[in-house]
Each structure stands twice: as structure tokens, then as C-alpha cells.
Amino acid sequence: MPYRPDRRLISVEEARAILSVHGEPVTRVERLALDAVDQRVLARHLVAAHDVPRFARAMMDGYAVRATDTAGATGEQPARLRLVETIYSGHAPAAHVVAGMCAGIATGAPMPAGADAVVMIEHTARTDDGVSVFQAVASRQNVGRAGSDLVAGEIAVAEGTVLSPARLGVVAALGLDQVDVYQRPRVAILSTGDEIVAPGGSLGPAQIFDSNTAALSAAVRLHGGEPVVAPRVGDDRKALAPAFEQCLDEDLVLFSGGTSVGERDFLLEIIAAAGTVHFEGLRLKPGKPTVFATVAGRPVFGMPGNPVSCLTNAYLLVAPLLRRLAHLPAATERTVLARLARDVESPAGRHQIYPVRVDGAAAVPVFKGSGEITSLAHADGYFEIPADVESVNAGTVVEVTLF
Ligand code: AMP
Ligand code: MG
């Protein structure tokens, strides 16, 4: 007899609360080259081994001077200084700037000893034997100090930080070409069903192509996971059991299909026998037959086979848990307000996720059905209809969460 639970349905909020206490962030670390760690999460503090920059440097092209030598300088009464050398970027100064002297200097070049300010080239003129300075500068003016960016010993990038472009710039500024990052959580994806054929294959008369594996894999990558796709399995208890076992090697398991209460929906039965089922259905449309369990310490989702239900719940429920395993912060939701273009109905007692296309100020409903993946593909986002609301009229301003 297949397992036929008297399904207790819970709300999305209850489901989220349950999910928030299951699954541990991945502790495995890998060392990767700088060009391979975009958006990865740093696994150890990066401490500055030296000041950045190591030397005080000119912030302008001009002349390195002793500020006191320029006191009172104006266009009419310039300070006249003798030029001892010119310092280019990447070259160490040789001379010491003493009273009445200056050195030509390029932006980024090290300040010579004795000089404490830089006069912009625009405020000077070359003379036969030196330089006329037309404006006084204060001590330290136009000079960047050593350690202005980072001081030796300081935490430059903290453990747990996502390596954004700017943070990768910091890593590089420290001279590192490799960093330790957390491994991405490995996410087993197993699509089940006699009717499912991998894209590229040929369809029998009663078959459809598997859209869930591709959509789930992409959603997993988007939220910091590494999809590990298992070979598809038919609705056959004997074949499902070992395939299920295999998936438990990974950090998170996503099954699709077979979670309904049909004659051949064996997944819930197999999951229930192997571990603890935390919920087995949601008061949600689409996405009702969604199962969550822990088996051998692994979080396991039984996702609905219907592609819209499957992907919606990947966003709503899987992504937050996956991001936690990946040490990533919660995704930032982007929302827009738009006016509903048509009346929509929603079943009583079920929270609905309603896909819409945003067309200027209008939210155009595009939901065809839970089985039609174009319901999502043609949408820019969705708005939510609470369980106790059965219709929303055209013209209502709705908050659309963008994909
Ligand atoms: P199930 O959850 O197995 O009861 O399947 C519900 C519906 O989703 C059925 O119409 C299935 O044919 C369809 N379905 C199941 N798995 C997939 C898949 N991987 N890709 C596309 N459709 C699927
Ligand atoms: Mg099925």
C-alpha cells in the first residue's frame, strides 16, 4: 500500500519557521584563485600583512615641497624653488628636499624625504632654474599617507563576507592571488516520473520533457549552491529507493514529482520511512504538495512535479535555506507597486502566489496553471493573495516582488 497520509497542510509562515531551524552552514573550505571567487563567501579573516599603500604618495601631479616654503605665495609674488629631481610612479626618490628645493612628482609616486606637501602642477610654472609656485599649500596637502587604505594588522575582509568586486579589489591590493572560501553547498536534484524525458531525448506518446531539473539547477546556482543532478527515475519504488540513498551524500536534497497522493506517488512514503517529515503540504497555490524532511541529518525537499509549483517553492522555501547553508545573506527582494490589469480569483483558504508581467504601471496577470511553466517565464514577478482573500479587482494596487 502506498503511504497515504491524511495531509496536514500548514501555512507558508509556519513552513518558513520550520525551515529556519534545519540545515547547517557548510564548513568545508577550498582555496581558489582570485579570478574564481566572485560572489563566493570568504572562509577566514583576511588580515593586512602590511600597510596599503606602504608609502606616503602624491595625490596630484605637481611638485613635492616643504609647505613652509610656499607660505604667502600668490600669482604676483610666487615662491621660487629649485628642482632637485623628478619622481615618477613606481620609482623611489633619491634626493632629500631641503629648504628652497622641490621635486617634480607624479600621482601615486612616493613622497621624497623632507617634503610634506604637493603643489598641483596647475599652480606652478617652470622657470630656467626651477619652479614658480603661485599658491601656498598646507602641510600634508595633496599627500596620501602610508596605510591610508589599510593599516598592517587590520582585518581587511572579514570571514563570512561575500566577495563583491570591491572586496576582490581589496584582496588583490594585499597581494593575494588565492583565497579560502566556503565550498558551495552541494544540492542533489532528482526528478522522478515515468513521463519525464531529459531534454535532447525523444518523447514517447505519453511523455513530456523534464523542465524541473533545469529550472531547479539554475535556481540552485543563483542562490550559491552547486547542483548535482541525479539520473531521472521512473515511478518505481524499487528504483527510487537506491537513487534516494545516493542523493543523501549531498548537503541538500531536492526531489521533484511523486509527492502527491496518487497511486504511484512513492516519494513521501520513502522519505517518511527513512527520516522525519516536518511538513507534507502547504496551504499555498501553487505548491501545495511540498514535503520537507530531514533524513540522516540532511534537509530533504519533495518538490511538486508541476513546474510552476516546483519553481515557486524553490524561490519561496528552498532558496532561503540554501543561502543559509552557503553562508549567504537573505536575498534582497525588489518590489514595485503596480495596478492590477484584470480581476483575479483565488481559492479560499490558500495563500496564492500570482505571477504577473509588469507593463509600465500595470500588473498583467499571466498565470495559466501550475503545470504551465510559461506562467512564470512570461512573468516579471508575482504578487501575493492572502488565504482569506478570494478575489482581487482590476485597478487594485498590488506589490509585485520581482524575480
Ligand atoms: P507529480 O508531482 O508527480 O504528481 O506530477 C504533477 C505534474 O507535474 C504532472 O503533470 C507531471 O507530469 C508533471 N511533472 C512532474 N515532474 C515534472 C518535470 N520534471 N518536468 C515537467 N513536468 C513534470
Ligand atoms: Mg508523478
Side-chain angles (χ1 to χ4, degrees):
M1 262 294 280
Y3 179 79
R4 281 224 203 294
D6 178 18
R7 279 206 177 177
R8 198 178 73 80
L9 304 182
I10 64 169
S11 68
V12 178
E13 292 68 39
E14 289 173 274
R16 284 194 163 132
I18 291 169
L19 294 169
S20 72
V21 297
H22 289 98
E24 297 293 324
V26 166
T27 53
R28 300 183 305 274
V29 169
E30 58 189 335
R31 180 161 297 182
L32 293 178
L34 200 52
D35 64 1
V37 292
D38 307 26
Q39 300 302 320
R40 296 292 296 268
V41 180
L42 193 64
R44 325 219 182 281
H45 288 331
L46 282 190
V47 176
H50 55 76
D51 284 353
V52 178
R54 289 188 182 217
F55 49 86
R57 59 185 173 179
M59 304 303 282
M60 296 283 177
D61 291 324
Y63 296 92
V65 299
R66 299 158 63 100
T68 51
D69 286 352
T70 68
T74 62
E76 293 75 44
Q77 297 248 292
R80 296 184 195 284
L81 302 174
R82 286 210 9 248
L83 188 61
V84 286
E85 68 170 327
T86 297
I87 309 155
Y88 298 104
S89 315
H91 298 269
H96 194 108
V97 174
V98 295
M101 305 278 231
C102 70
I105 196 160
T107 303
M111 288 293 288
D116 64 347
V118 172
V119 184
M120 287 167 71
I121 196 145
E122 292 86 337
H123 298 156
T124 65
R126 280 299 299 272
T127 58
D128 287 346
D129 60 345
V131 179
S132 291
V133 173
F134 304 122
Q135 206 174 81
V137 284
S139 182
R140 292 204 284 275
Q141 195 168 337
N142 300 327
V143 176
R145 60 179 172 75
S148 59
D149 212 354
L150 290 165
V151 175
E154 151 179 13
I155 294 175
V157 191
E159 178 275 337
T161 307
V162 178
L163 292 169
S164 62
R167 291 172 188 146
L168 283 172
V170 173
V171 176
L174 291 171
L176 302 172
D177 62 352
Q178 293 186 323
V179 274
D180 289 340
V181 293
Y182 289 111
Q183 281 188 5
R184 291 195 181 99
R186 291 170 58 89
V187 183
I189 298 175
L190 172 62
S191 285
T192 67
D194 284 346
E195 74 278 37
I196 301 306
V197 175
S202 53
L203 293 179
Q207 291 188 305
I208 56 170
F209 286 120
D210 171 8
S211 33
N212 292 348
T213 299
L216 285 176
S217 298
V220 161
R221 280 191 292 267
L222 198 60
H223 293 285
E226 184 180 322
V228 181
V229 174
R232 288 161 192 78
V233 183
D235 296 309
D236 166 359
R237 199 193 317 241
K238 285 210 176 59
L240 269 172
F244 173 79
E245 282 285 313
Q246 186 95 51
C247 289
L248 293 174
D249 288 345
E250 312 306 346
D251 298 303
L252 173 62
V253 182
L254 304 181
F255 295 115
S256 113
T259 57
S260 307
V261 288
E263 194 75 26
R264 294 208 170 161
D265 289 328
F266 299 125
L267 248 175
L268 183 50
E269 179 192 345
I270 291 175
I271 294 173
T276 307
V277 175
H278 303 295
F279 59 80
E280 53 193 27
L282 302 172
R283 284 196 296 275
L284 177 68
K285 180 186 171 157
K288 178 176 159 187
T290 301
V291 175
F292 178 67
T294 38
V295 181
R298 292 282 185 276
V300 174
F301 283 91
M303 306 296 282
N306 270 320
V308 178
S309 316
C310 181
L311 187 56
T312 311
N313 277 349
Y315 289 141
L316 252 48
L317 303 175
V318 178
L321 185 138
L322 172 58
R323 295 183 73 90
R324 193 154 43 75
L325 299 192
H327 299 258
L328 290 173
T332 33
E333 283 190 349
R334 296 173 306 133
T335 59
V336 292
L337 294 178
R339 237 172 244 289
L340 197 58
R342 285 198 270 108
D343 295 350
V344 299
E345 308 295 319
S346 178
R350 278 170 81 189
H351 185 104
Q352 186 162 8
I353 300 296
Y354 206 104
V356 290
R357 184 163 53 78
V358 178
D359 192 354
V364 183
V366 292
F367 186 61
K368 295 181 180 171
S370 305
E372 281 75 35
I373 187 65
T374 50
S375 296
L376 289 182
H378 296 165
D380 297 306
Y382 60 87
F383 74 100
E384 302 190 42
I385 308 176
D388 58 354
V389 173
E390 288 174 42
S391 64
V392 186
N393 295 331
T396 307
V397 173
V398 295
E399 187 179 46
V400 180
T401 302
L402 300 172
F403 291 131

